[in-house]
Amino acid sequence: MWFYLAVLLVLYFFRRWYRERQTVENLTEKYVFITGCDSGFGNLLAKQLDMTGMRVLAGCYTQKGAEELEKVTSDRLKTTILDVTSTESVAAAAEWVKQCVGNKGLWGVVNNAGIATPMGPNDWLTKEDFMKILSVNLLGLVDVTLQMLSLVKRARGRVVNVASTMGRLAFFGGGYCPSKFGVEAFSDSLRREMLSFGVHVSIIEPGAFHTSISTTVEDSFKDLWTQLPSDIKVQYGQQYFENCHKQLVELLYSGSTNLNLVTDSIEHALTSCHPRTRYSPGWDAKFFYIPVSYLPTTVADYILTRGRPKRAQGI
């Protein structure tokens, strides 16, 4: 019995490997729009796809980011300034993309733009702190997708949304995890709706990666503590903050520096004839965060909380 099961597993993975090696034709004629190209995954992806010959349309938050990207890429790559929290900015970018692609339509939209701060225990935060992240990571992603969707339908192309393992397992407080859970839900519903239009929707769920966001998160955590009301500080205690900050730094800076694991997943989602529904780049994603997300709640809670610092007035 076990022998036949092993054979079936081998045949399954061989079939998947063979199907996923098949790539889309005429990639050099296809347009891809990417958000968040100033740095990190978006910046690397724009360069990577440009090197393959695809026609990259890069949305950058700053003029400086756009100019620096243009300096190191080919004339095929074009940039525009994009603030995903502004409907006017997104609409202007959509009109610009429409003029660039013409009747060909837009082969791919990669929603990569995102922020992670402010991040901390939920009772350190305000509604505005949550909205700051949700407006970029979730509402901005939805706005960009809806504004570009008619162009993607025309090309029967791809939508690739960058979520996170934190969209499967809420590991810390703040708006980041809720925003990524929202990305997962939006992507799932959109995928089912777009099937009849020939549009594929893929979700990227990276584990921990060391990017420029790491420094931002660390600094934001320190600022958050200094601004807390005195009664909240007493409840948590200085020792809690110091231990929590130490753990946060270890987590942030232990992340993989190989950002290609993420960009290769996105490229596959755009170029394979048979893209996956979900990609989980990073060993921690595959062997810790995703598996733990399937465990019973009490077991997952124990695993995630057993090593956390103790609060001064906690039980």
Side-chain angles (χ1 to χ4, degrees), residues 5-314:
L5 181 60
V7 170
L8 285 174
L9 284 173
V10 169
L11 290 174
Y12 167 77
F13 283 110
F14 176 78
R15 179 178 178 273
R16 190 176 79 164
W17 171 81
Y18 176 74
R19 280 165 55 86
E20 290 185 349
R21 289 179 67 248
Q22 301 174 42
T23 57
V24 175
E25 297 179 349
N26 302 319
L27 286 172
T28 56
E29 297 178 9
K30 298 188 183 300
Y31 289 86
V32 176
F33 179 71
I34 310 168
T35 67
C37 292
D38 297 77
S39 61
F41 300 134
N43 185 270
L44 180 60
L45 178 66
K47 297 172 185 175
Q48 186 171 321
L49 295 182
D50 180 59
M51 289 180 66
T52 68
M54 296 187 77
R55 299 180 181 276
V56 177
L57 305 175
C60 297
Y61 186 63
T62 65
Q63 187 64 43
K64 179 182 178 182
E67 291 173 355
E68 289 180 351
L69 181 58
E70 289 175 346
K71 288 178 183 177
V72 294
T73 52
S74 73
D75 294 338
R76 287 187 305 273
L77 184 143
K78 301 181 187 301
T79 63
T80 188
I81 305 302
L82 174 65
D83 176 1
V84 298
T85 66
S86 166
T87 297
E88 293 76 17
S89 179
V90 174
E95 185 60 33
W96 173 76
V97 169
K98 184 178 180 180
Q99 293 175 3
C100 290
V101 303
N103 294 327
K104 292 182 178 180
L106 181 62
W107 176 251
V109 173
V110 180
N111 284 300
N112 163 76
I115 60 174
T117 58
M119 179 190 297
N122 288 311
D123 59 349
W124 291 17
L125 304 167
T126 65
K127 175 185 175 182
E128 288 69 30
D129 291 328
F130 280 81
M131 284 303 302
K132 179 182 177 183
I133 296 179
L134 290 168
S135 64
V136 176
N137 295 6
L138 178 58
L139 300 179
L141 178 147
V142 170
D143 197 8
V144 170
T145 302
L146 297 181
Q147 297 265 16
M148 304 284 179
L149 203 53
S150 61
L151 297 173
V152 178
K153 285 181 184 177
R154 186 182 302 170
R156 294 189 175 183
R158 311 284 167 86
V159 176
V160 183
N161 291 331
V162 179
S164 169
T165 49
M166 297 299 100
R168 302 281 292 274
L169 189 71
F171 193 61
F172 42 74
Y176 186 80
C177 293
S179 73
K180 295 304 183 179
F181 269 84
V183 170
E184 296 272 351
F186 174 70
S187 301
D188 282 341
S189 63
L190 184 69
R191 182 183 65 254
R192 290 158 188 149
E193 293 166 355
M194 290 296 107
L195 283 173
S196 60
F197 293 99
V199 173
H200 291 276
V201 179
S202 295
I203 307 170
I204 312 297
E205 302 170 331
F209 284 84
H210 181 47
T211 67
S212 58
I213 287 180
S214 302
T215 304
T216 306
V217 171
E218 182 186 358
D219 292 342
S220 174
F221 188 74
K222 292 178 183 177
D223 293 340
L224 200 58
W225 173 256
T226 61
Q227 297 168 13
L228 282 179
S230 58
D231 60 321
I232 299 292
K233 281 189 174 183
V234 169
Q235 291 171 17
Y236 281 85
Q238 181 67 29
Q239 191 62 51
Y240 171 86
F241 165 71
E242 292 175 2
N243 292 339
C244 199
H245 176 260
K246 181 181 177 182
Q247 287 188 357
L248 179 64
V249 170
E250 289 174 354
L251 176 65
L252 291 172
Y253 292 93
S254 65
S256 173
T257 57
N258 184 9
L259 305 189
N260 287 108
L261 294 174
V262 177
T263 57
D264 287 349
S265 296
I266 299 174
E267 181 179 351
H268 186 272
L270 291 167
T271 62
S272 174
C273 290
H274 304 283
R276 298 181 188 179
T277 299
R278 282 178 166 81
Y279 296 80
S280 302
W283 292 114
D284 56 342
K286 291 180 175 66
F287 295 108
F288 180 72
Y289 292 112
I290 301 299
V292 170
S293 73
Y294 288 108
L295 293 176
T297 302
T298 52
V299 177
D301 286 352
Y302 172 75
I303 292 172
L304 296 179
T305 60
R306 62 176 180 166
R308 290 191 174 182
K310 294 190 180 298
R311 294 156 178 79
Q313 296 184 357

